[in-house]
């Protein structure tokens, strides 16, 4: 919801007409994001074992759903998830890379990452509804090595605008990793717009 509102504000700032409603594309995206978040907990599922998988899946999807549709903060999602797993005796685990996680740290990381992913997906979907394809990545101090090359870069959401790297390429290179603080906003290529008007 916040991503949609952000995209609406960006379009309005450039003089565009704002749409209304929460379209089918966003409802489908909400389900996809919930599934993606569940898949991030694969290490926990391995730890819990097959006999707990149905309980785990129910807890994970229910916990993240509130954040996906915008009525819970990432902090509330993390707390709910952690408390529900603790009721089933899960307080920590070791992942496939042999890192030890307590459920507070892991749940907060996944909840924060999922909430940001929801915001970005909402922004992307809304900008695509408006017919925009270009976005500009935010810049902030303290960015990690994976993100630094992408700060301030203009990306194509779909790949249909030649001359720009795609959002997927940036993600594949490590941008928007877990706990990443980067976002993106609408970018208007003024030279191309002027050329299109005069042509």
């Amino acid at each position: 919801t916040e991503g949609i509102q952000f995209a609406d504000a960006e379009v309005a700032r450039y003089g565009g007409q704002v749409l209304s409603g929460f379209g089918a594309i966003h409802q489908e995206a909400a389900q996809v994001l919930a599934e993606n978040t569940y898949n991030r907990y694969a290490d926990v599922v391995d730890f819990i074992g097959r006999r707990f998988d149905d309980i785990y899946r129910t807890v994970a999807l229910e916990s993240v759903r509130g954040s996906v549709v915008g009525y819970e903060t990432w902090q509330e999602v993390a707390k709910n998830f952690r408390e529900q797993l603790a009721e089933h005796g899960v307080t920590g685990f070791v992942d496939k890379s042999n890192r030890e996680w307590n459920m507070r740290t892991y749940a907060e990381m996944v909840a924060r990452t999922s909430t940001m992913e929801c915001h970005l997906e909402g922004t992307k979907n809304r900008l695509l509804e408006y017919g925009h394809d270009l976005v500009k990545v935010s810049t902030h101090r303290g960015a990690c090595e994976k993100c630094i090359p992408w700060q301030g870069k203009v990306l194509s959401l779909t790949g249909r605008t030649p001359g720009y790297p795609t959002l997927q390429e940036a993600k594949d290179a490590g941008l928007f990793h877990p706990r990443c603080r980067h976002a993106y906003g609408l970018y208007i290529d003024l030279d191309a717009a002027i050329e299109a008007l005069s042509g």
Side-chain angles (χ1 to χ4, degrees):
T1 303
E2 287 179 7
I4 291 167
Q5 291 169 350
F6 175 75
D8 286 347
E10 289 276 281
V11 169
R13 189 163 62 96
Y14 284 98
Q17 176 120 11
V18 177
L19 299 170
S20 63
F22 191 74
I25 187 172
H26 306 298
Q27 292 172 31
E28 291 167 17
Q31 183 58 36
V32 169
L33 287 165
E35 290 289 340
N36 287 350
T37 301
Y38 167 73
N39 291 335
R40 280 201 187 96
Y41 286 113
D43 286 321
V44 184
V45 174
D46 289 344
F47 170 76
I48 295 171
R50 288 181 184 275
R51 65 196 177 100
F52 288 110
D53 190 47
D54 288 342
I55 294 170
Y56 169 76
R57 180 178 176 79
T58 302
V59 170
L61 287 175
E62 185 56 41
S63 295
V64 80
R65 192 172 288 119
S67 175
V68 169
V69 297
Y71 61 83
E72 284 190 325
T73 66
W74 70 263
Q75 292 97 333
E76 291 167 327
V77 171
K79 182 175 179 282
N80 292 343
F81 185 76
R82 194 173 63 249
E83 287 175 354
Q84 290 181 60
L85 283 180
E87 286 176 16
H88 295 287
V90 180
T91 58
F93 71 101
V94 177
D95 70 14
K96 292 174 188 170
S97 302
N98 247 3
R99 288 173 299 195
E100 290 186 18
W101 290 89
N102 66 54
M103 289 315 299
R104 172 179 294 278
T105 305
Y106 196 76
E108 286 181 1
M109 181 272 291
V110 175
R112 186 191 296 256
T113 300
S114 301
T115 301
M116 188 59 169
E117 185 180 18
C118 292
H119 176 83
L120 294 174
E121 195 69 14
T123 300
K124 180 184 88 171
N125 287 343
R126 195 59 152 195
L127 290 176
L128 290 173
E129 284 184 329
Y130 284 117
H132 294 290
D133 184 52
L134 297 178
V135 292
K136 187 172 184 178
V137 178
S138 64
T139 301
H140 65 79
R141 298 172 100 179
C144 72
E145 290 179 11
K146 290 180 181 178
C147 296
I148 287 173
W150 298 101
Q151 292 203 116
K153 291 278 190 200
V154 177
L155 305 175
S156 168
L157 294 174
T158 65
R160 72 173 185 241
T161 307
Y164 296 97
T166 66
L167 175 60
Q168 191 57 54
E169 288 170 344
K171 286 180 177 179
D172 291 345
L175 185 63
F176 305 124
H177 55 81
R179 290 190 180 155
C180 184
R181 292 188 291 137
H182 285 91
Y184 48 71
L186 174 62
Y187 177 80
I188 303 288
D189 186 338
L190 294 176
D191 291 336
I194 290 168
E195 190 177 313
L197 287 172
S198 61

